[in-house]
Amino acid sequence: MNAINNPRVYMRSLATRQSNLALSKYVAEAIQVLKAAKYDLIVLETSGIGQSDTEIMDHSDVSLYVMTPEFGAATQLEKIDMLDFADLVALNKFDKRGALDAIRDVKKQYQRNHNLWDVNPDEMPVFGTIASQFNDPGMNTLYKSIMDKIVEKTASDLQSTFEITREMSEKIFVIPPHRTRYLSEIAENNRKYDETVLTQVEVAQKLYGIFKTIESVTNVKLSLSKFGIEEEGLRQAQPDKADFIKLLVGEFDRVKMNLDPFNWQIIQTWDEKVNKYKNPIYSFKVRDKVIEIKTHSESLSHTQIPKIALPKYQAWGDILKWNLQENVPGEFPFASGLYPFKREGEDPTRMFAGEGGPERTNRRFHYVSLGMPAKRLSTAFDSVTLYGNDPDHRPDIYGKIGNAGVSICCLDDAKKLYSGFDLSHPATSVSMTINGPAPMLLGFFMNAAIDQNCEKYIKENDLVAEVETKIKAIYKEKGIERPSYNGALPEGNDGLGLILLGVTGDQVFQLTFIMKLK
């Protein structure tokens, strides 16, 4: 309803005042008034009171009957009078279960009612639509068919040039129907995992108690194997205690049957894990590349401080609970990070900025990153950009441009925002706080990076003058002024990203070269 605020459009709702009628008794007069006002197209909608709802035929040149797949059994279609008279039928909510069967039955009923026995049922003017979905193929096809039918029956000058595709209307879900409870499923899964952990911890604690009892009885330091307690240590026990030890070992094996083999491996290899972090060098693989990192850092007093300190637990229950709920970085459940150690050679400082136009924020970025080995730019956008609007003189937009964030509405803005930062460099990372228009902002970012690489090629091959000539010719032909960076470049900005300001790489290079850069 908000979209029809236009002097060329008039809308009025008329109450029927009677429960057994689908139209107001003043409809005929209202239509005459609109005809006198010389409106090109009059759309009349009934309230749709039931199966016998054909009164609208007295007022319309072209009739459209809108229904849903939930009409019950196919025999119910014989009671719907509008299927006898309607020029077109729309089966809305086509994403509902059983919609394909429903549209098949409606087409067959339409064919019978209109005696179109020599026409393929698939060619009946019955369309599956999903009105709530943007650019729905079914709605597009229905619109084109309505306009064609109006021209056919009224000879009016409303010929539509809209082109349609032969696609079936299909609901495009952000979240599939069977996953609408995905957040609840995650919470339920986490709670179930926590319950399982507590159960396993209790089993591990019982095993530890039995194990320590066996060690106390045998007075021997026992070791563990994949299958339980090493038998070699048990053989060293005194013969008079053999029966008691056998009883304890039997209970140990019985309780161990309730312990997950993976959790037993955690207990068995705990000492090995502790020693790995005590060693001076820790090595791990990332994409088949071996990474070696020092496990300790040295203080000013030459004290070796461990980067990762493991708990000094002894009881198996405590060890298992810590491993399953917290664990070291790089291991499930990844509570401490995805990698075993933080990457070296990168300054952890986040360089946050976002205020005014792209030039102002660019200056701030260069100020906070000056002299830093790594550029970690974090970008905040204004509310105009966050809502996907362009800067405008509208009262609800003008005062918010560049307020509490940077205003970015085009590729040139993105180029100016990140100018002087090599977006392809491994030491450069960019985060953007954005919501709905994220795909567009990502497109700006990717194309800014591609054009930066074009500029590198331009400089390396001394093509700056040639490219400038091409760009000037482009803007001379357009008859408009070329965009530019407003103000002086800040310290640290070498101008990367500004040579192709106002154009893209494919306008000065061949497309094959651009694809190679991508």
Side-chain angles (χ1 to χ4, degrees):
M1 305 298 288
N2 296 329
I4 64 173
N5 184 19
N6 190 289
R8 297 176 57 219
V9 179
Y10 172 80
M11 195 206 79
R12 175 66 189 269
S13 176
L14 297 175
T16 62
R17 303 297 182 191
Q18 299 180 57
S19 59
N20 64 327
L21 294 178
L23 289 174
S24 168
K25 61 181 180 180
Y26 301 109
V27 163
E29 296 175 14
I31 291 175
Q32 291 303 319
V33 170
L34 294 175
K35 285 182 178 179
K38 298 189 182 301
Y39 278 94
D40 297 321
L41 182 65
I42 301 172
V43 179
L44 177 63
E45 180 186 8
T46 73
S47 58
I49 61 169
Q51 294 166 338
S52 299
D53 185 16
T54 59
E55 186 184 355
I56 196 169
M57 299 299 301
D58 299 331
H59 305 283
S60 61
D61 296 309
V62 176
S63 59
L64 166 68
Y65 181 61
V66 182
M67 58 188 300
T68 66
E70 293 124 344
F71 51 75
T75 53
Q76 297 296 318
L77 296 173
E78 298 178 6
K79 303 176 185 179
I80 301 177
D81 287 347
M82 276 305 295
L83 291 180
D84 291 333
F85 302 102
D87 297 300
L88 306 132
V89 178
L91 193 71
N92 197 32
K93 300 182 180 178
F94 201 60
D95 52 319
K96 296 286 186 181
R97 183 176 295 179
L100 291 174
D101 293 335
I103 198 170
R104 178 201 62 203
D105 293 338
V106 174
K107 285 182 176 181
K108 287 183 177 179
Q109 187 65 45
Y110 189 94
Q111 183 185 42
R112 284 195 293 269
N113 291 0
H114 292 262
N115 293 318
L116 300 173
W117 307 110
D118 56 338
V119 182
N120 190 322
D122 292 335
E123 296 177 14
M124 297 296 118
V126 181
F127 307 93
T129 63
I130 305 173
S132 61
Q133 181 168 276
F134 174 74
N135 200 27
D136 175 60
M139 286 297 298
N140 293 341
T141 306
L142 175 64
Y143 162 76
K144 185 67 165 62
S145 300
I146 291 173
M147 298 308 296
D148 292 346
K149 183 62 71 172
I150 290 173
V151 172
E152 176 190 331
K153 298 192 75 171
T154 65
S156 60
D157 187 21
L158 294 172
Q159 188 71 45
S160 173
T161 58
F162 182 72
E163 295 183 4
I164 60 171
T165 57
R166 297 186 62 82
E167 296 179 58
M168 177 68 76
S169 186
E170 182 179 358
K171 185 69 174 176
I172 300 170
F173 296 100
V174 176
I175 302 172
H178 64 282
R179 293 305 311 278
T180 52
R181 290 186 67 256
Y182 77 100
L183 291 176
S184 298
E185 290 170 6
I186 292 171
E188 290 167 4
N189 186 66
N190 287 352
R191 292 191 191 102
K192 186 177 179 182
Y193 176 77
D194 290 340
E195 291 173 5
T196 304
V197 168
L198 293 176
T199 304
Q200 290 289 289
V201 165
E202 188 177 346
V203 173
Q205 202 70 357
K206 285 182 182 179
L207 286 173
Y208 182 70
I210 299 170
F211 178 76
K212 297 307 288 185
T213 302
I214 295 174
E215 276 195 335
S216 178
V217 171
T218 58
N219 201 25
V220 175
K221 183 70 175 176
L222 300 175
S223 58
L224 303 176
S225 70
K226 182 179 179 181
F227 305 103
I229 302 173
E230 288 281 6
E231 294 185 1
E232 186 177 343
L234 296 173
R235 294 194 193 100
Q236 300 177 26
Q238 298 176 12
D240 58 330
K241 298 179 181 178
D243 292 339
F244 183 47
I245 293 171
K246 185 177 180 181
L247 180 67
L248 289 173
V249 172
E251 181 64 12
F252 183 93
D253 292 338
R254 186 189 69 78
V255 175
K256 184 177 174 294
M257 291 176 67
N258 296 322
L259 188 72
D260 190 290
F262 173 75
N263 295 337
W264 175 250
Q265 185 181 11
I266 290 175
I267 295 169
Q268 184 189 350
T269 59
W270 171 248
D271 291 335
E272 181 184 335
K273 179 184 284 190
V274 172
N275 290 329
K276 282 174 70 175
Y277 287 93
K278 286 182 177 179
N279 293 333
I281 300 294
Y282 183 98
S283 61
F284 62 98
K285 277 189 175 183
V286 176
R287 299 189 187 96
D288 297 327
K289 182 181 178 182
V290 178
I291 308 294
E292 293 186 345
I293 293 181
K294 293 180 180 179
T295 58
H296 293 69
S297 58
E298 189 173 331
S299 68
L300 293 174
S301 59
H302 303 291
T303 302
Q304 293 295 313
I305 303 171
K307 294 179 180 178
I308 295 175
L310 273 66
K312 296 178 173 60
Y313 292 140
Q314 295 293 326
W316 293 350
D318 295 333
I319 292 171
L320 185 61
K321 185 176 182 179
W322 186 84
N323 275 272
L324 295 179
Q325 295 281 33
E326 297 182 44
N327 213 344
V328 295
E331 292 187 21
F332 183 85
F334 304 103
S336 303
L338 294 175
Y339 296 102
F341 285 87
K342 187 173 67 176
R343 197 170 84 187
E344 293 182 341
E346 179 180 337
D347 196 312
T349 305
R350 289 181 72 232
M351 298 148 190
F352 189 82
E355 188 75 21
E359 292 90 352
R360 181 176 174 182
T361 302
N362 177 257
R363 293 187 187 98
R364 178 66 182 173
F365 274 144
H366 280 286
Y367 176 77
V368 297
S369 66
L370 192 63
M372 294 286 188
K375 315 296 183 183
R376 303 188 67 209
L377 313 180
S378 183
T379 314
F381 297 100
D382 64 357
S383 59
V384 178
T385 304
L386 289 172
Y387 283 101
N389 290 317
D390 289 336
D392 198 274
H393 289 287
R394 275 172 43 184
D396 60 330
I397 288 180
Y398 188 76
K400 298 176 182 177
I401 299 171
N403 189 8
V406 61
S407 176
I408 301 295
C409 68
C410 61
L411 175 58
D412 287 333
D413 281 351
K415 288 182 178 181
K416 289 187 279 188
L417 176 65
Y418 298 119
S419 63
F421 295 103
D422 188 349
L423 299 179
S424 302
H425 196 279
T428 302
S429 65
V430 177
S431 66
M432 296 182 282
T433 308
I434 193 66
N435 43 28
M440 284 68 82
L441 268 296
L442 179 61
F444 292 162
F445 176 83
M446 297 300 291
N447 280 281
I450 291 167
D451 282 351
Q452 278 191 1
N453 282 278
C454 290
E455 292 187 12
K456 292 177 192 174
Y457 179 84
I458 291 169
K459 290 180 179 179
E460 289 169 2
N461 294 273
D462 296 325
L463 298 173
V464 176
E466 181 183 335
V467 169
E468 281 292 327
T469 303
K470 285 185 179 180
I471 297 174
K472 286 179 180 178
I474 290 171
Y475 276 88
K476 185 177 180 181
E477 184 179 345
K478 290 182 178 179
I480 58 175
E481 187 179 351
R482 180 185 172 188
S484 61
Y485 187 100
N486 295 321
L489 295 181
E491 185 180 356
N493 189 337
D494 60 358
L496 180 63
L498 300 177
I499 293 177
L500 295 179
L501 199 61
V503 296
T504 52
D506 59 328
Q507 292 179 272
V508 294
F509 290 111
Q510 291 184 354
L511 187 60
T512 52
F513 175 75
I514 300 298
M515 295 304 295
K516 184 179 178 182
L517 278 181
K518 288 184 179 182

